[in-house]
Amino acid sequence: MNKILVTGNAGFIGSWIADALVGRGEEVYGIDDFSGGSRENYSGNYEMFATDLANPNQVKQTIKEIKPDIVFHLASCAREGASQFQPLYVTQTNYSAFMNLIEPVIKYGFKKLIFTSSMAIYGDQKPPFSEDMPRRSVDIYAINKAAIEKSIEVLADIHEFDYVILRPHNVFGLRQSLTDKFRNVVAIFMNRIMRKEPLYIYGVGEQERAFSYIEDSLPSFIRSLEINNEIINVGGRYPITVNHLADLICEAMGVSEKYPRVYLPPRPREVKHAYSTYEKSERLLGYEEKVGYKEGIERMARWAKKCGPQEWTSEVLPLQNAKMPVTWGSTTPHAP
Ligand SMILES: NC(=O)c1ccc[n+]([C@@H]2O[C@H](COP(=O)([O-])OP(=O)(O)OC[C@H]3O[C@@H](n4cnc5c(N)ncnc54)[C@H](O)[C@@H]3O)[C@@H](O)[C@H]2O)c1
């Protein structure tokens, strides 16, 4: 039987993957430092290590204990927009964390890496982004993801392991952090409504994204165990605007479409139209949109209402200037 390590197992996507693997009868291990994930997301049905991947000595010790055969690497500070205002931390938890992990993992003779990269690596090209388009990152988070992708190709060639690079986009659903004001618009809008704060929209709200409900993407993440050495987009088929998303979330949360919205200047380096092709994921991973974004939003809204309104993270970004959105400061504008 293979030992499968899931990094970021206390996070949103990682917790779903770890539990699905346990459900298949796999021997599963987790690594998470709880910086972005939560203890509630850890089911307790497998062993996990509270290891900080940015600390190479801690990682070496943990990998020596687990000696995994297969690694799903999801741990990351994935705040794309905020990465310009905390570039060191984002690099420590992405590129450095990857190197801290991959060296001991190779040393103890693993077989395969499944890495969740991101649609962000395509940058500002014309959508839909297909896997054969070049990497054209326009922000620090995406630069990290692209550097990891390229490093995987180099190291897999020299050290002879298999890999799958997944490029998800705009995943949302139950277990996603409702407290992080720096990322995940669906969760942020839901918590804003529960906190009776306005919905802040950057620019005119006509940005387009294809929102991907977790239970639609999960089977494809798991099926990546069965293929090798491919790069694949995974996620929703249907792009919608942020304004339309706000309408759907208001309806699902049971408030009027006239719920207050505050339009702010566009976020620096935000790509306006970003969505991906899905044909390769259908062909190789059997991707199917069974729930879809509308029903997914309703399911998440029911869960969010059960969780209730949450305090926003109090974290202060180290590099602040006038280009930083006001919503990322230490106080929430227009708070009740
Ligand atoms: N959610 C999306 O829409 C989306 C889209 C594209 C790519 N991804 C990628 O998928 C992965 C998972 O994303 P998510 O949305 O579940 O995020 P998440 O924040 O819920 O999960 C990431 C987990 O990594 C952990 N982590 C961060 N730094 C760590 C460190 N130094 N050591 C150990 N653990 C650490 C966090 O505590 C958290 O539990 C990330 O790599 C992200 O870049 C997510």
Short mmCIF file of all heavy atoms in Angstrom, two decimals, residues 7-14 31-38 41 51-55 73-78 89 92-94 97 115-119 141 145 166-172 175-177 180 183-184, ligand 1:
data_model
loop_
_atom_site.label_atom_id
_atom_site.label_comp_id
_atom_site.label_asym_id
_atom_site.label_seq_id
_atom_site.Cartn_x
_atom_site.Cartn_y
_atom_site.Cartn_z
N THR A 7 0.05 17.75 1.99
CA THR A 7 0.44 18.97 2.69
C THR A 7 -0.70 19.98 2.55
O THR A 7 -1.40 20.00 1.54
CB THR A 7 1.75 19.59 2.16
OG1 THR A 7 1.47 20.20 0.89
CG2 THR A 7 2.86 18.55 2.01
N GLY A 8 -0.89 20.77 3.61
CA GLY A 8 -2.03 21.70 3.60
C GLY A 8 -3.33 20.97 3.93
O GLY A 8 -4.41 21.39 3.51
N ASN A 9 -3.23 19.88 4.71
CA ASN A 9 -4.41 19.05 4.99
C ASN A 9 -5.41 19.71 5.93
O ASN A 9 -6.53 19.24 6.04
CB ASN A 9 -3.99 17.70 5.58
CG ASN A 9 -3.49 17.85 7.00
OD1 ASN A 9 -2.43 18.45 7.21
ND2 ASN A 9 -4.22 17.36 7.97
N ALA A 10 -5.02 20.79 6.61
CA ALA A 10 -5.99 21.50 7.47
C ALA A 10 -6.64 22.64 6.69
O ALA A 10 -7.46 23.39 7.23
CB ALA A 10 -5.32 22.03 8.73
N GLY A 11 -6.25 22.79 5.44
CA GLY A 11 -6.81 23.84 4.60
C GLY A 11 -8.08 23.36 3.92
O GLY A 11 -8.57 22.24 4.16
N PHE A 12 -8.59 24.18 3.06
CA PHE A 12 -9.86 23.93 2.38
C PHE A 12 -9.74 22.71 1.45
O PHE A 12 -10.28 21.63 1.73
CB PHE A 12 -10.25 25.22 1.65
CG PHE A 12 -11.30 25.10 0.60
CD1 PHE A 12 -12.48 24.40 0.84
CD2 PHE A 12 -11.12 25.70 -0.64
CE1 PHE A 12 -13.46 24.30 -0.14
CE2 PHE A 12 -12.09 25.62 -1.62
CZ PHE A 12 -13.26 24.91 -1.37
N ILE A 13 -8.98 22.84 0.36
CA ILE A 13 -8.93 21.75 -0.62
C ILE A 13 -8.21 20.53 -0.04
O ILE A 13 -8.64 19.39 -0.23
CB ILE A 13 -8.24 22.21 -1.93
CG1 ILE A 13 -8.94 23.45 -2.52
CG2 ILE A 13 -8.21 21.09 -2.94
CD1 ILE A 13 -8.26 24.03 -3.76
N GLY A 14 -7.11 20.77 0.69
CA GLY A 14 -6.32 19.67 1.25
C GLY A 14 -7.14 18.78 2.17
O GLY A 14 -6.98 17.55 2.18
N ILE A 31 0.44 17.23 6.63
CA ILE A 31 1.34 18.25 7.19
C ILE A 31 0.63 19.60 7.04
O ILE A 31 0.18 19.94 5.94
CB ILE A 31 2.69 18.33 6.45
CG1 ILE A 31 3.58 17.13 6.77
CG2 ILE A 31 3.42 19.63 6.79
CD1 ILE A 31 4.96 17.20 6.11
N ASP A 32 0.54 20.33 8.14
CA ASP A 32 -0.03 21.69 8.08
C ASP A 32 0.44 22.45 9.31
O ASP A 32 0.57 21.86 10.39
CB ASP A 32 -1.57 21.63 8.05
CG ASP A 32 -2.17 22.89 7.45
OD1 ASP A 32 -1.97 23.97 8.03
OD2 ASP A 32 -2.84 22.79 6.40
N ASP A 33 0.68 23.73 9.17
CA ASP A 33 1.08 24.53 10.34
C ASP A 33 -0.10 25.37 10.87
O ASP A 33 0.08 26.21 11.74
CB ASP A 33 2.29 25.43 10.03
CG ASP A 33 1.93 26.55 9.06
OD1 ASP A 33 0.82 26.52 8.48
OD2 ASP A 33 2.76 27.47 8.89
N PHE A 34 -1.28 25.18 10.32
CA PHE A 34 -2.50 25.87 10.73
C PHE A 34 -2.43 27.39 10.51
O PHE A 34 -3.22 28.12 11.08
CB PHE A 34 -2.86 25.58 12.20
CG PHE A 34 -3.16 24.13 12.45
CD1 PHE A 34 -2.23 23.31 13.08
CD2 PHE A 34 -4.36 23.57 12.04
CE1 PHE A 34 -2.50 21.97 13.31
CE2 PHE A 34 -4.64 22.21 12.25
CZ PHE A 34 -3.70 21.42 12.90
N SER A 35 -1.50 27.84 9.67
CA SER A 35 -1.41 29.29 9.43
C SER A 35 -2.62 29.78 8.64
O SER A 35 -3.07 30.91 8.83
CB SER A 35 -0.12 29.63 8.68
OG SER A 35 -0.02 28.85 7.50
N GLY A 36 -3.15 28.94 7.76
CA GLY A 36 -4.32 29.35 6.96
C GLY A 36 -5.47 28.37 7.13
O GLY A 36 -6.61 28.70 6.84
N GLY A 37 -5.18 27.18 7.60
CA GLY A 37 -6.21 26.16 7.77
C GLY A 37 -6.76 26.18 9.18
O GLY A 37 -6.39 27.03 9.99
N SER A 38 -7.63 25.21 9.48
CA SER A 38 -8.20 25.22 10.83
C SER A 38 -8.26 23.80 11.38
O SER A 38 -8.27 22.82 10.63
CB SER A 38 -9.61 25.80 10.79
OG SER A 38 -10.47 24.90 10.13
N ASN A 41 -11.01 21.47 10.26
CA ASN A 41 -10.89 20.82 8.95
C ASN A 41 -10.15 19.48 9.02
O ASN A 41 -10.14 18.73 8.04
CB ASN A 41 -10.15 21.72 7.95
CG ASN A 41 -11.03 22.85 7.44
OD1 ASN A 41 -12.23 22.85 7.67
ND2 ASN A 41 -10.43 23.80 6.74
N THR A 51 3.75 20.68 11.17
CA THR A 51 5.09 21.06 10.72
C THR A 51 5.01 22.31 9.86
O THR A 51 4.11 22.42 9.03
CB THR A 51 5.68 19.89 9.88
OG1 THR A 51 5.76 18.75 10.71
CG2 THR A 51 7.04 20.22 9.30
N ASP A 52 5.96 23.23 10.08
CA ASP A 52 6.03 24.43 9.24
C ASP A 52 6.94 24.13 8.05
O ASP A 52 8.14 23.94 8.22
CB ASP A 52 6.58 25.60 10.09
CG ASP A 52 6.77 26.86 9.28
OD1 ASP A 52 6.42 26.88 8.08
OD2 ASP A 52 7.29 27.85 9.86
N LEU A 53 6.38 24.11 6.86
CA LEU A 53 7.18 23.77 5.67
C LEU A 53 8.23 24.82 5.35
O LEU A 53 9.13 24.57 4.56
CB LEU A 53 6.26 23.56 4.46
CG LEU A 53 5.41 22.30 4.48
CD1 LEU A 53 4.45 22.30 3.30
CD2 LEU A 53 6.27 21.04 4.44
N ALA A 54 8.11 26.00 5.95
CA ALA A 54 9.14 27.02 5.73
C ALA A 54 10.37 26.77 6.60
O ALA A 54 11.38 27.46 6.48
CB ALA A 54 8.55 28.41 6.02
N ASN A 55 10.30 25.75 7.48
CA ASN A 55 11.41 25.44 8.37
C ASN A 55 12.07 24.12 7.91
O ASN A 55 11.54 23.03 8.16
CB ASN A 55 10.86 25.31 9.80
CG ASN A 55 11.95 24.98 10.79
OD1 ASN A 55 12.90 24.26 10.49
ND2 ASN A 55 11.80 25.50 12.00
N HIS A 73 0.90 18.05 -2.87
CA HIS A 73 1.44 19.26 -2.23
C HIS A 73 0.48 20.43 -2.46
O HIS A 73 0.40 20.98 -3.55
CB HIS A 73 2.83 19.58 -2.77
CG HIS A 73 3.43 20.81 -2.17
ND1 HIS A 73 3.36 21.07 -0.82
CD2 HIS A 73 4.11 21.84 -2.73
CE1 HIS A 73 3.97 22.22 -0.57
NE2 HIS A 73 4.42 22.72 -1.71
N LEU A 74 -0.23 20.79 -1.36
CA LEU A 74 -1.19 21.90 -1.45
C LEU A 74 -0.84 23.07 -0.54
O LEU A 74 -1.38 24.16 -0.72
CB LEU A 74 -2.60 21.41 -1.08
CG LEU A 74 -3.22 20.46 -2.07
CD1 LEU A 74 -3.23 19.05 -1.52
CD2 LEU A 74 -4.61 20.89 -2.44
N ALA A 75 0.00 22.83 0.48
CA ALA A 75 0.28 23.89 1.46
C ALA A 75 0.83 25.13 0.75
O ALA A 75 1.68 25.02 -0.14
CB ALA A 75 1.28 23.40 2.50
N SER A 76 0.35 26.29 1.15
CA SER A 76 0.75 27.53 0.49
C SER A 76 0.03 28.68 1.17
O SER A 76 -1.08 28.51 1.67
CB SER A 76 0.27 27.44 -0.98
OG SER A 76 0.00 28.70 -1.56
N CYS A 77 0.66 29.84 1.19
CA CYS A 77 -0.12 31.05 1.44
C CYS A 77 -0.54 31.52 0.05
O CYS A 77 0.28 31.99 -0.73
CB CYS A 77 0.70 32.13 2.16
SG CYS A 77 -0.24 33.67 2.25
N ALA A 78 -1.81 31.33 -0.27
CA ALA A 78 -2.28 31.48 -1.65
C ALA A 78 -2.94 32.83 -1.92
O ALA A 78 -3.81 32.94 -2.77
CB ALA A 78 -3.23 30.33 -1.97
N TYR A 89 6.87 36.43 2.78
CA TYR A 89 6.10 35.34 3.38
C TYR A 89 5.50 34.43 2.30
O TYR A 89 5.53 33.20 2.41
CB TYR A 89 4.99 35.91 4.30
CG TYR A 89 4.19 34.83 4.98
CD1 TYR A 89 4.79 33.97 5.90
CD2 TYR A 89 2.84 34.65 4.70
CE1 TYR A 89 4.07 32.96 6.52
CE2 TYR A 89 2.10 33.66 5.32
CZ TYR A 89 2.72 32.81 6.23
OH TYR A 89 1.99 31.81 6.83
N GLN A 92 8.28 32.34 1.05
CA GLN A 92 8.69 31.31 2.03
C GLN A 92 7.71 30.15 2.08
O GLN A 92 8.11 29.01 2.28
CB GLN A 92 8.79 31.95 3.43
CG GLN A 92 10.02 32.80 3.62
CD GLN A 92 9.95 33.65 4.89
OE1 GLN A 92 8.87 33.98 5.37
NE2 GLN A 92 11.11 34.00 5.41
N THR A 93 6.41 30.44 1.91
CA THR A 93 5.40 29.38 2.04
C THR A 93 5.07 28.74 0.69
O THR A 93 4.24 27.84 0.63
CB THR A 93 4.10 29.93 2.66
OG1 THR A 93 3.64 31.02 1.86
CG2 THR A 93 4.32 30.40 4.08
N ASN A 94 5.70 29.24 -0.37
CA ASN A 94 5.49 28.62 -1.68
C ASN A 94 6.80 28.06 -2.21
O ASN A 94 7.08 26.89 -2.03
CB ASN A 94 4.84 29.62 -2.65
CG ASN A 94 3.34 29.77 -2.39
OD1 ASN A 94 2.55 28.95 -2.82
ND2 ASN A 94 2.94 30.79 -1.64
N ALA A 97 9.13 26.65 0.64
CA ALA A 97 8.48 25.49 1.26
C ALA A 97 8.57 24.28 0.32
O ALA A 97 8.82 23.15 0.75
CB ALA A 97 7.02 25.81 1.57
N PHE A 115 0.97 18.32 -7.64
CA PHE A 115 1.13 19.69 -7.16
C PHE A 115 -0.05 20.54 -7.59
O PHE A 115 -0.38 20.57 -8.78
CB PHE A 115 2.43 20.28 -7.71
CG PHE A 115 2.59 21.74 -7.43
CD1 PHE A 115 2.59 22.23 -6.13
CD2 PHE A 115 2.73 22.65 -8.48
CE1 PHE A 115 2.72 23.59 -5.87
CE2 PHE A 115 2.86 24.02 -8.22
CZ PHE A 115 2.85 24.48 -6.91
N THR A 116 -0.69 21.23 -6.65
CA THR A 116 -1.73 22.19 -7.04
C THR A 116 -1.07 23.53 -7.32
O THR A 116 -0.72 24.27 -6.41
CB THR A 116 -2.82 22.38 -5.96
OG1 THR A 116 -2.19 22.59 -4.72
CG2 THR A 116 -3.79 21.25 -5.92
N SER A 117 -0.87 23.78 -8.60
CA SER A 117 -0.39 25.09 -9.04
C SER A 117 -1.61 26.00 -9.09
O SER A 117 -2.48 25.93 -8.23
CB SER A 117 0.28 24.93 -10.40
OG SER A 117 0.77 26.17 -10.85
N SER A 118 -1.72 26.84 -10.11
CA SER A 118 -2.85 27.75 -10.19
C SER A 118 -3.01 28.30 -11.60
O SER A 118 -2.03 28.45 -12.33
CB SER A 118 -2.62 28.91 -9.22
OG SER A 118 -3.56 29.93 -9.46
N MET A 119 -4.25 28.66 -11.94
CA MET A 119 -4.52 29.38 -13.19
C MET A 119 -3.74 30.68 -13.25
O MET A 119 -3.51 31.24 -14.33
CB MET A 119 -6.02 29.65 -13.27
CG MET A 119 -6.47 30.48 -14.42
SD MET A 119 -8.24 30.81 -14.37
CE MET A 119 -8.33 32.05 -13.09
N TYR A 141 2.71 35.75 -6.23
CA TYR A 141 2.16 34.41 -6.01
C TYR A 141 2.31 33.55 -7.27
O TYR A 141 2.80 32.42 -7.23
CB TYR A 141 0.69 34.54 -5.60
CG TYR A 141 -0.14 33.28 -5.64
CD1 TYR A 141 0.01 32.29 -4.68
CD2 TYR A 141 -1.12 33.11 -6.63
CE1 TYR A 141 -0.79 31.14 -4.72
CE2 TYR A 141 -1.92 31.98 -6.66
CZ TYR A 141 -1.75 31.00 -5.71
OH TYR A 141 -2.54 29.87 -5.74
N LYS A 145 4.36 30.07 -8.14
CA LYS A 145 3.75 28.85 -8.67
C LYS A 145 4.45 28.41 -9.97
O LYS A 145 4.71 27.23 -10.18
CB LYS A 145 2.26 29.07 -8.93
CG LYS A 145 1.40 29.17 -7.67
CD LYS A 145 1.28 27.84 -6.96
CE LYS A 145 0.18 27.83 -5.91
NZ LYS A 145 0.18 26.63 -5.08
N LEU A 166 -1.60 20.26 -11.36
CA LEU A 166 -3.00 20.68 -11.52
C LEU A 166 -3.06 22.19 -11.43
O LEU A 166 -2.37 22.80 -10.61
CB LEU A 166 -3.86 20.06 -10.41
CG LEU A 166 -3.84 18.53 -10.32
CD1 LEU A 166 -4.55 18.06 -9.05
CD2 LEU A 166 -4.48 17.90 -11.56
N ARG A 167 -3.87 22.79 -12.29
CA ARG A 167 -4.05 24.26 -12.24
C ARG A 167 -5.52 24.57 -11.95
O ARG A 167 -6.31 24.82 -12.88
CB ARG A 167 -3.61 24.90 -13.56
CG ARG A 167 -2.12 24.80 -13.81
CD ARG A 167 -1.74 25.37 -15.17
NE ARG A 167 -0.31 25.33 -15.40
CZ ARG A 167 0.25 25.40 -16.61
NH1 ARG A 167 -0.50 25.52 -17.69
NH2 ARG A 167 1.56 25.38 -16.73
N PRO A 168 -5.91 24.53 -10.67
CA PRO A 168 -7.29 24.84 -10.33
C PRO A 168 -7.55 26.34 -10.44
O PRO A 168 -6.62 27.14 -10.58
CB PRO A 168 -7.42 24.40 -8.86
CG PRO A 168 -6.12 23.79 -8.48
CD PRO A 168 -5.11 24.22 -9.48
N HIS A 169 -8.83 26.70 -10.37
CA HIS A 169 -9.16 28.12 -10.36
C HIS A 169 -10.45 28.39 -9.61
O HIS A 169 -11.44 27.68 -9.76
CB HIS A 169 -9.24 28.70 -11.78
CG HIS A 169 -10.12 27.94 -12.72
ND1 HIS A 169 -11.41 28.29 -12.96
CD2 HIS A 169 -9.88 26.84 -13.46
CE1 HIS A 169 -11.94 27.45 -13.83
NE2 HIS A 169 -11.03 26.54 -14.14
N ASN A 170 -10.41 29.41 -8.75
CA ASN A 170 -11.60 29.91 -8.04
C ASN A 170 -12.45 28.81 -7.44
O ASN A 170 -13.65 28.73 -7.68
CB ASN A 170 -12.44 30.78 -9.00
CG ASN A 170 -11.60 31.91 -9.57
OD1 ASN A 170 -11.09 31.80 -10.67
ND2 ASN A 170 -11.42 32.96 -8.80
N VAL A 171 -11.79 27.95 -6.66
CA VAL A 171 -12.50 26.87 -5.99
C VAL A 171 -13.20 27.45 -4.75
O VAL A 171 -12.65 28.30 -4.07
CB VAL A 171 -11.53 25.75 -5.57
CG1 VAL A 171 -12.31 24.49 -5.20
CG2 VAL A 171 -10.51 25.45 -6.66
N PHE A 172 -14.40 26.98 -4.48
CA PHE A 172 -15.11 27.45 -3.28
C PHE A 172 -15.95 26.31 -2.72
O PHE A 172 -16.22 25.32 -3.42
CB PHE A 172 -16.01 28.66 -3.61
CG PHE A 172 -17.22 28.29 -4.41
CD1 PHE A 172 -18.43 28.02 -3.79
CD2 PHE A 172 -17.15 28.16 -5.79
CE1 PHE A 172 -19.56 27.65 -4.53
CE2 PHE A 172 -18.25 27.77 -6.54
CZ PHE A 172 -19.46 27.52 -5.91
N ARG A 175 -15.89 24.42 4.24
CA ARG A 175 -14.56 24.33 4.88
C ARG A 175 -13.61 25.44 4.43
O ARG A 175 -12.49 25.52 4.91
CB ARG A 175 -13.86 23.00 4.62
CG ARG A 175 -14.63 21.80 5.10
CD ARG A 175 -13.72 20.59 4.99
NE ARG A 175 -14.45 19.36 5.21
CZ ARG A 175 -13.93 18.16 5.04
NH1 ARG A 175 -12.67 18.03 4.69
NH2 ARG A 175 -14.65 17.09 5.26
N GLN A 176 -14.02 26.26 3.46
CA GLN A 176 -13.14 27.35 3.05
C GLN A 176 -13.09 28.39 4.18
O GLN A 176 -14.11 28.63 4.84
CB GLN A 176 -13.71 27.99 1.79
CG GLN A 176 -12.83 29.03 1.16
CD GLN A 176 -13.14 29.20 -0.31
OE1 GLN A 176 -14.30 29.31 -0.69
NE2 GLN A 176 -12.12 29.21 -1.13
N SER A 177 -11.95 29.00 4.36
CA SER A 177 -11.83 29.99 5.45
C SER A 177 -12.80 31.15 5.23
O SER A 177 -12.83 31.75 4.15
CB SER A 177 -10.39 30.53 5.49
OG SER A 177 -10.35 31.63 6.38
N ASP A 180 -10.51 34.99 6.23
CA ASP A 180 -9.37 35.58 5.52
C ASP A 180 -9.85 36.69 4.59
O ASP A 180 -10.44 36.42 3.54
CB ASP A 180 -8.64 34.49 4.73
CG ASP A 180 -7.31 34.97 4.17
OD1 ASP A 180 -7.08 36.20 4.13
OD2 ASP A 180 -6.50 34.12 3.77
N ARG A 183 -8.37 36.80 0.59
CA ARG A 183 -8.60 35.92 -0.57
C ARG A 183 -9.93 35.18 -0.49
O ARG A 183 -10.46 34.99 0.60
CB ARG A 183 -7.45 34.94 -0.79
CG ARG A 183 -7.32 33.84 0.23
CD ARG A 183 -6.12 32.98 -0.09
NE ARG A 183 -6.39 31.99 -1.10
CZ ARG A 183 -6.54 30.69 -0.84
NH1 ARG A 183 -6.46 30.24 0.38
NH2 ARG A 183 -6.77 29.84 -1.82
N ASN A 184 -10.39 34.77 -1.67
CA ASN A 184 -11.59 33.95 -1.87
C ASN A 184 -12.86 34.78 -1.76
O ASN A 184 -13.48 34.88 -0.71
CB ASN A 184 -11.65 32.76 -0.91
CG ASN A 184 -10.51 31.80 -1.17
OD1 ASN A 184 -10.20 31.53 -2.31
ND2 ASN A 184 -9.89 31.34 -0.12
N1 LIG B 1 -8.82 27.78 -3.55
C1 LIG B 1 -8.57 28.08 -4.81
O1 LIG B 1 -9.41 28.66 -5.50
C2 LIG B 1 -7.27 27.71 -5.46
C3 LIG B 1 -7.08 28.01 -6.81
C4 LIG B 1 -5.87 27.67 -7.42
C5 LIG B 1 -4.90 27.04 -6.69
N2 LIG B 1 -5.10 26.75 -5.37
C6 LIG B 1 -4.02 26.10 -4.63
O2 LIG B 1 -4.53 24.99 -3.91
C7 LIG B 1 -3.83 24.86 -2.68
C8 LIG B 1 -4.81 24.83 -1.53
O3 LIG B 1 -5.56 26.03 -1.51
P1 LIG B 1 -6.73 26.29 -0.47
O4 LIG B 1 -7.68 27.20 -1.11
O5 LIG B 1 -7.19 25.01 0.09
O6 LIG B 1 -5.95 27.14 0.63
P2 LIG B 1 -5.94 27.02 2.22
O7 LIG B 1 -5.30 28.25 2.74
O8 LIG B 1 -7.29 26.67 2.73
O9 LIG B 1 -4.97 25.78 2.46
C9 LIG B 1 -3.57 25.90 2.45
C10 LIG B 1 -3.04 25.23 3.69
O10 LIG B 1 -1.61 25.35 3.69
C11 LIG B 1 -1.21 25.54 5.02
N3 LIG B 1 0.11 26.16 5.04
C12 LIG B 1 0.46 27.40 4.59
N4 LIG B 1 1.75 27.64 4.83
C13 LIG B 1 2.24 26.53 5.44
C14 LIG B 1 3.52 26.18 5.94
N5 LIG B 1 4.55 27.04 5.88
N6 LIG B 1 3.67 24.96 6.49
C15 LIG B 1 2.62 24.09 6.57
N7 LIG B 1 1.40 24.37 6.13
C16 LIG B 1 1.21 25.58 5.57
C17 LIG B 1 -2.27 26.43 5.63
O11 LIG B 1 -2.31 26.36 7.04
C18 LIG B 1 -3.54 25.89 4.98
O12 LIG B 1 -4.16 24.92 5.81
C19 LIG B 1 -2.85 26.03 -2.61
O13 LIG B 1 -1.58 25.58 -3.03
C20 LIG B 1 -3.40 27.02 -3.60
O14 LIG B 1 -2.38 27.81 -4.16
C21 LIG B 1 -6.27 27.09 -4.73
#
